Amino acid sequence: MYIYPDNLTAKAMLWLWELRDISIIGVGLLISVLALTQTGIALPLVLTAVYAFLSIRFDGTSILDFLKYAAAFLITKQQFYDWRLES
């Protein structure tokens, strides 16, 4: 008997990232190291590290998703309040 996680519907994960994020981080690191050694510019390395941090996933939600939800709740989406005076 074989037991598969999430009925084979789960996305492929490696440590705390999806495989798509791992490939983006890998290509970003390659370009960042090339830019750092050839021009001395560290900005691509910083951007890759920020993306790696924001794409960490816990329980199916990444830190970037959480920040998007928080911004939508606090800034972009209108909140509806119903005030009543009950006697």
Side-chain angles (χ1 to χ4, degrees):
M1 181 168 130
Y2 296 100
I3 299 173
Y4 295 106
D6 294 333
N7 227 5
L8 292 178
T9 59
K11 291 190 175 195
M13 297 283 293
L14 182 64
W15 298 304
L16 297 174
W17 295 275
E18 291 181 353
L19 289 182
R20 177 185 57 93
D21 294 330
I22 290 287
S23 61
I24 292 171
I25 292 167
V27 169
L29 281 175
L30 183 66
I31 292 170
S32 300
V33 168
L34 183 65
L36 187 63
T37 58
Q38 298 299 317
T39 63
I41 298 172
L43 182 64
L45 186 62
V46 171
L47 293 176
T48 303
V50 167
Y51 178 78
F53 176 73
L54 291 178
S55 63
I56 292 175
R57 291 200 170 267
F58 294 110
D59 296 329
T61 304
S62 70
I63 296 172
L64 184 59
D65 292 339
F66 177 76
L67 290 176
K68 286 179 187 176
Y69 298 150
F73 179 77
L74 296 172
I75 299 169
T76 61
K77 300 286 181 175
Q78 183 178 358
Q79 303 296 315
F80 296 101
Y81 298 100
D82 190 16
W83 297 90
R84 294 183 194 164
L85 180 64
E86 296 185 18
S87 55

